[in-house]
Amino acid sequence: MPEQTDSESRKLLSRLQATLAEAGAGQERLDRITHLIADSMGTEVCSIYLLLNADTLELCATEGLASESVHVTRMRLGEGLVGRVALRVRVINTAHAPAEPGFRYMPETGEECFSSFLGVPIQRLGECLGVLVVQSRQERGFSDDEVYALEVVAMVLAEMTELGAFVGEGEALSARHQSHVVFHGSCAQEGTTEGRVYLHEPRVVVTRPIADDPRAELIRLRAAADQLRVSVDLMLSNAPKSDGEQIEVLEAYRMFANSRGWMRRMEEDITRGLSAEAAVEKEQSTARARMETVPDAYLRERLHDLDDLSNRLLRVLTSQGVDTGVQMPDRPVLVARNIGPAELLDYGRSLKGVVLEEGSVGSHAAIVARALAIPLVINAKRITTEALNGDLILVDGDQGIVHLRPEDRVAAAFRDKLAMQAAAQKRYASIRDKPAKTLCGTNISLHMNAGLMADLPSLPSSGAEGVGLFRTELQFLTRSQVPRRGELAALYARVMDAAGGKRVVFRTLDIGSDKVLPYMKPTDEPNPALGWRAIRVGLDKPGVMRMQLQALLRAANGRSLAIMFPFIAQLDEFTQARDRLLREVEREAALGHRLPRNLEIGAMLETPSLAFAPRHFFELADFISIGGNDLKQFFFAADRENERVRRRYDTLNVSFLTFLEQIVHRCDDTDTPLGFCGEDAGRPLEAMCFAAMGLRSLSMRPASIGPVKSLLRRVNLREMRGLINEARANGAQSVRPAVMDWFRQKG
Ligand code: PEP
Ligand code: MG
């Protein structure tokens, strides 16, 4: 056990505790605290600056500076030494402040006579709430113990302010958690919604940051850590041996749980006056702060593990479970740091939207959100620290923007947009049973993309002719082991039943890249999108693909069946996959099972190379479906996951449309049916231009069918084609401006 010294921090904390226990309004308490700190540390000045909004700090209390400057002096993040402490969330300790880079006087405070400066961030879990400063006339550096003492006090302040102890008087804090905050994330599933925040894992609230009896706290900490270790060992022994990734995480948990350094640091914090839970949280804050700066992805992951482990330890100490009994609000929008696919499926369609702090466009959660057709915004930095259960939230999945606690003006504009969308949906319903026939008499067949049994009910109401892409990954991603053949066959049969005789195109397992199965050994690849994925895995490790093909044949049980293979890049991959399927057909026949009445074997064209495949490929394929999401990323060499580059290249870029036209020609040559099933097919303008380039079959999310059909029925493709040709001849980069102009002219 670390030696208990009556350190600066302990003395200061016990005085602080006494002060906090006294009655008083927020401002009075802040004033008493600054007085107490200055007195304890022997400095002339102690000031508390709090964040008024995302980029402005305000002086909220001071001992030693001019009292008139309280609630008057403000500075931007990064401005002066105080602003720099807040911006970098780092301590500044200097004996000669004027010589420090960035130094700036605030004349109204009268601080020019103070030479020494110690500023520490008031932070909670890496989020800066303000700055605590002491200053003195005498040129002196502050000792490590003094710095530590001030940091601990700042942490206690962060807890107290979070608890609302000062809210009401401290203008800065009352502004927090009431103000409108906008998050610019990335769009992972389109759609817009208004709802109320429902936190997936509400944070643990530390109500008692300071403790009187360090011995008792040490006993609590050790008991909780023991309990944690036992639970981690149990999780490890229960984890499936094949699940390398989960085991790796649990091993990291175990390593940290047994780490003497981690325990020692927390024990030291306790002997300096913190309660056990505050000590855990202090360590967690340090890990979070490091997480933001560590460039190495592996190390960042491990710091995440430590963060998760700290959360678990906090929950043991405070008995605050994940389930806090908070009622799910009406129109819930789930807010989380990240979420697994199974957990998201558990919430299911009750959710109106999902906002994640992390995540990626191709993550499992994104795949589920796409299948559930709920708007999803990812990379909404700090939303879990800002959002409170029940807050009003507007999610714009089309733009990747989230408004938390929106101002009335913003909420009203957003509601107008929702109302317009609802009115449009009504209009679309009226053309549901009408064909997508253009003014020039061309019929375009519209299909829906699906990935869950739960998607199928939307087939009749969407007006889709069938399912153009059934992604089969989800059943694999949401289980802890490979699903069994019987289980899959039953599910595929239910999908076909629900489609009621309409065509369903099943795509075989498309994993690898970022879609790693929980029970698959992760391979460390420098460029996963260009790596061992989809059909490449299917052909190299044939067991799972065989089992899936058998399940599909059994599910069809004599009905028509359409299967397509993803990510075919050259002829032999298609011939091999096709041969394997035909071998399974023979095997089924030998076993006396019913064979599909009609079997279509198709390929997804997702790499430019396939467009240049030998003619034989086009003859052999019963149909081809362009996977535009991948094709576009490889055509422009722009990662579909990378927000910085993915919007840079317009789908209506003349080169891309010309490329699509070439694919259309190649398929026309061999009479091979061609479709397009990437997200762009669901965007009306894009869909119209694809049709103008000769595509006759499009597959999209169900909600897009109405808008796409509505536009197609109002255009003449020949006219559009003329417009595109003209833009092409004029050397335009994209045909979008010309098309938009044309629509504007037509009103
Ligand atoms: C595509 O790439 O366009 C596609 C439909 O497949 P996924 O989005 O599942 O990669
Ligand atoms: Mg794809």
Side-chain angles (χ1 to χ4, degrees):
M1 173 171 163
E3 197 192 335
Q4 279 185 37
T5 53
D6 221 9
S7 61
E8 291 298 329
S9 53
R10 254 195 87 59
K11 277 189 279 183
L12 184 51
L13 280 182
S14 48
R15 288 185 68 188
L16 183 63
Q17 189 174 26
T19 305
L20 290 174
E22 290 167 20
Q27 184 67 51
E28 205 183 319
R29 278 148 74 88
L30 281 184
D31 291 343
R32 256 191 256 142
I33 289 168
T34 50
H35 172 77
L36 169 104
I37 297 171
D39 185 50
S40 296
M41 296 193 59
T43 57
E44 284 96 352
V45 176
C46 173
S47 311
I48 295 173
Y49 298 82
L50 296 172
L51 271 176
L52 189 59
N53 53 43
D55 46 32
T56 315
L57 285 155
E58 181 178 279
L59 176 64
C60 285
T62 186
E63 169 77 21
L65 296 184
S67 58
E68 310 82 71
S69 54
V70 172
H71 296 305
V72 173
T73 293
R74 290 182 180 176
M75 65 216 44
R76 282 196 313 281
L77 237 59
E79 186 184 350
L81 296 187
V82 174
R84 286 191 165 212
V85 172
L87 181 70
R88 297 181 183 160
V89 199
R90 259 198 235 133
V91 173
I92 294 183
N93 177 7
T94 171
H96 192 57
E100 270 303 295
F103 176 78
R104 184 170 170 263
Y105 277 127
M106 292 290 172
E108 71 277 13
T109 62
E111 66 179 339
E112 57 276 14
C113 52
F114 302 109
S115 177
S116 312
F117 175 101
L118 170 60
V120 301
I122 300 174
Q123 61 166 318
R124 196 186 170 280
L125 296 183
E127 182 202 17
C128 187
L129 307 172
V131 180
L132 177 61
V133 176
V134 289
Q135 291 170 277
S136 71
R137 277 201 176 81
Q138 185 202 348
E139 275 196 31
R140 55 173 282 206
F142 292 91
S143 69
D144 287 351
D145 197 23
E146 283 173 315
V147 174
Y148 182 88
L150 205 65
E151 278 186 306
V152 168
V153 170
M155 181 190 152
V156 173
L157 280 179
E159 284 301 335
M160 303 312 291
T161 48
E162 281 289 84
L163 289 173
F166 303 124
V167 173
E169 304 288 333
E171 188 193 331
L173 282 174
S174 61
R176 280 184 65 76
H177 292 310
Q178 283 176 23
S179 54
H180 175 185
V181 196
V182 186
F183 299 88
H184 294 268
S186 325
C187 145
Q189 167 63 28
E190 295 174 3
T192 39
T193 195
E194 170 179 353
R196 296 270 165 192
V197 168
Y198 185 69
L199 292 167
H200 175 50
E201 271 194 347
R203 72 173 184 84
V204 176
V205 181
V206 175
T207 49
R208 202 179 55 101
I210 308 171
D212 296 328
D213 183 354
R215 275 180 195 284
E217 294 305 304
L218 284 169
I219 291 169
R220 285 182 65 228
L221 177 73
R222 287 173 189 163
D226 284 344
Q227 199 179 322
L228 182 73
R229 275 180 217 118
V230 171
S231 74
V232 171
D233 286 346
L234 198 69
M235 282 191 283
L236 248 172
S237 56
N238 288 341
K241 297 285 163 285
S242 56
D243 187 345
E245 200 175 20
Q246 194 188 347
I247 289 185
E248 191 185 345
V249 169
L250 289 173
E251 291 283 6
Y253 278 5
R254 179 148 73 178
M255 187 189 81
F256 286 124
N258 289 307
S259 151
R260 297 187 65 80
W262 188 49
M263 276 309 277
R264 198 190 56 241
R265 287 193 299 276
M266 291 190 290
E267 287 177 353
E268 274 171 14
D269 291 331
I270 288 176
T271 58
R272 285 164 136 159
L274 293 187
S275 66
E277 45 272 48
V280 176
E281 204 180 81
K282 185 164 182 298
E283 266 305 294
Q284 198 179 9
S285 285
T286 313
R288 284 248 173 124
R290 275 175 54 206
M291 212 143 58
E292 310 245 318
T293 54
V294 170
D296 181 88
Y298 178 81
L299 274 181
R300 241 187 354 256
E301 275 303 310
R302 296 291 77 86
L303 285 169
H304 264 301
D305 296 339
L306 181 57
D307 192 62
D308 286 341
L309 196 73
S310 302
N311 262 336
R312 283 168 195 267
L313 189 54
L314 278 175
R315 289 192 195 285
V316 177
L317 276 166
T318 59
S319 307
Q320 293 172 34
V322 172
D323 181 7
T324 50
V326 172
Q327 279 259 313
M328 197 180 258
D330 272 353
R331 306 192 53 80
V333 171
L334 193 80
V335 172
R337 259 176 68 205
N338 215 338
I339 189 167
E343 288 169 303
L344 191 51
L345 271 175
D346 280 346
Y347 285 109
R349 283 180 203 274
S350 59
L351 297 178
K352 295 296 166 217
V354 181
V355 183
L356 301 179
E357 216 163 275
E358 300 168 0
S360 64
V361 179
S363 69
H364 305 172
I367 296 164
V368 173
R370 219 166 285 155
L372 293 171
I374 38 182
L376 167 66
V377 172
I378 55 172
N379 298 328
K381 295 277 174 266
R382 312 195 88 79
I383 186 138
T384 57
T385 21
E386 284 288 349
L388 298 176
N389 267 322
D391 277 347
L392 185 65
I393 186 166
L394 311 176
V395 182
D396 184 341
D398 302 339
Q399 308 286 332
I401 293 175
V402 177
H403 296 271
L404 186 67
R405 299 180 292 266
E407 287 163 10
D408 293 349
R409 196 174 38 84
V410 173
F414 197 83
R415 282 177 196 136
D416 284 350
K417 183 172 167 181
L418 289 175
M420 270 163 60
Q421 286 174 351
Q425 284 300 340
K426 270 205 185 131
R427 280 204 311 279
Y428 304 145
S430 67
I431 53 166
R432 193 185 60 200
D433 300 320
K434 302 215 162 94
K437 189 172 182 177
T438 63
L439 292 181
C440 50
T442 312
N443 270 312
I444 309 292
S445 53
L446 304 183
H447 304 261
M448 64 175 252
N449 294 346
L452 280 178
M453 185 55 213
D455 295 332
L456 272 297
S458 46
L459 180 54
S461 59
S462 69
E465 286 178 32
V467 178
L469 166 66
F470 190 91
R471 293 181 164 102
T472 59
E473 292 77 71
L474 281 174
Q475 295 75 38
F476 287 82
L477 288 171
T478 51
R479 286 181 175 64
S480 56
Q481 42 195 309
V482 184
R484 286 201 307 275
R485 183 180 58 194
E487 205 183 329
L488 282 186
L491 178 106
Y492 298 150
R494 284 208 305 279
V495 169
M496 291 183 221
D497 293 345
K502 290 186 170 167
R503 180 171 177 257
V504 180
V505 179
F506 289 92
R507 173 177 77 183
T508 62
L509 194 56
D510 181 3
I511 44 143
S513 179
D514 52 346
K515 298 179 205 159
V516 181
L517 296 181
Y519 37 86
M520 204 173 108
K521 195 166 173 287
T523 46
D524 198 8
E525 296 185 302
N527 292 302
L530 304 173
W532 195 55
R533 53 175 292 200
I535 196 66
R536 301 170 181 178
V537 180
L539 292 174
D540 293 354
K541 291 243 175 259
V544 173
M545 191 166 93
R546 254 188 83 189
M547 181 276 286
Q548 193 185 22
L549 294 174
Q550 289 165 4
L552 284 164
L553 290 166
R554 301 235 171 132
N557 192 24
R559 291 179 276 197
S560 294
L561 179 63
I563 294 178
M564 68 180 172
F565 296 105
F567 215 66
I568 300 286
Q570 57 184 14
L571 168 66
D572 82 331
E573 285 169 343
F574 184 64
T575 50
Q576 282 179 39
R578 187 174 174 277
D579 287 349
R580 289 194 191 172
L581 172 54
L582 293 176
R583 226 175 295 146
E584 292 313 317
V585 172
E586 275 170 26
R587 185 174 168 273
E588 290 296 292
L591 289 171
H593 292 140
R594 286 177 72 190
L595 297 182
R597 179 158 20 115
N598 175 35
L599 176 63
E600 290 177 86
I601 310 176
M604 284 190 78
L605 195 155
E606 304 187 88
T607 61
S609 62
L610 198 64
F612 303 94
R615 184 183 168 86
H616 182 52
F617 162 71
F618 292 89
E619 288 166 347
L620 201 60
D622 292 323
F623 64 95
I624 291 172
S625 186
I626 297 176
N629 304 333
D630 275 312
L631 186 66
K632 192 179 157 196
Q633 91 166 329
F634 298 120
F635 186 76
F636 288 109
D639 186 348
R640 68 193 258 193
E641 298 261 337
N642 182 340
E643 208 55 27
R644 265 210 182 141
V645 297
R646 81 189 185 109
R647 285 180 194 274
R648 200 180 173 97
Y649 305 98
D650 191 352
T651 305
L652 301 189
N653 180 300
V654 165
S655 320
F656 190 61
L657 290 183
T658 305
F659 182 50
L660 292 183
E661 184 185 40
Q662 286 175 10
I663 301 171
V664 169
H665 286 159
R666 295 222 60 191
C667 289
D668 281 352
D669 261 5
T670 47
D671 274 341
T672 314
L674 174 68
F676 187 110
C677 67
E679 299 300 314
D680 283 320
R683 303 189 173 113
L685 272 195
E686 280 78 344
M688 181 197 73
C689 291
F690 295 165
M693 300 319 282
L695 277 149
R696 294 291 172 262
S697 171
L698 304 171
S699 192
M700 61 202 75
R701 64 192 178 104
S704 300
I705 292 187
V708 167
K709 189 191 283 186
S710 166
L711 181 64
L712 286 173
R713 287 171 58 85
R714 285 181 286 141
V715 295
N716 180 328
L717 291 183
R718 279 199 289 274
E719 204 174 335
M720 278 304 133
R721 181 56 184 251
L723 209 66
I724 293 172
N725 285 344
E726 201 180 321
R728 219 175 351 191
N730 291 341
Q733 179 163 287
S734 163
V735 303
R736 192 176 300 273
V739 172
M740 297 290 282
D741 260 7
W742 187 89
F743 275 104
R744 243 174 257 127
Q745 277 166 26
K746 296 273 169 182

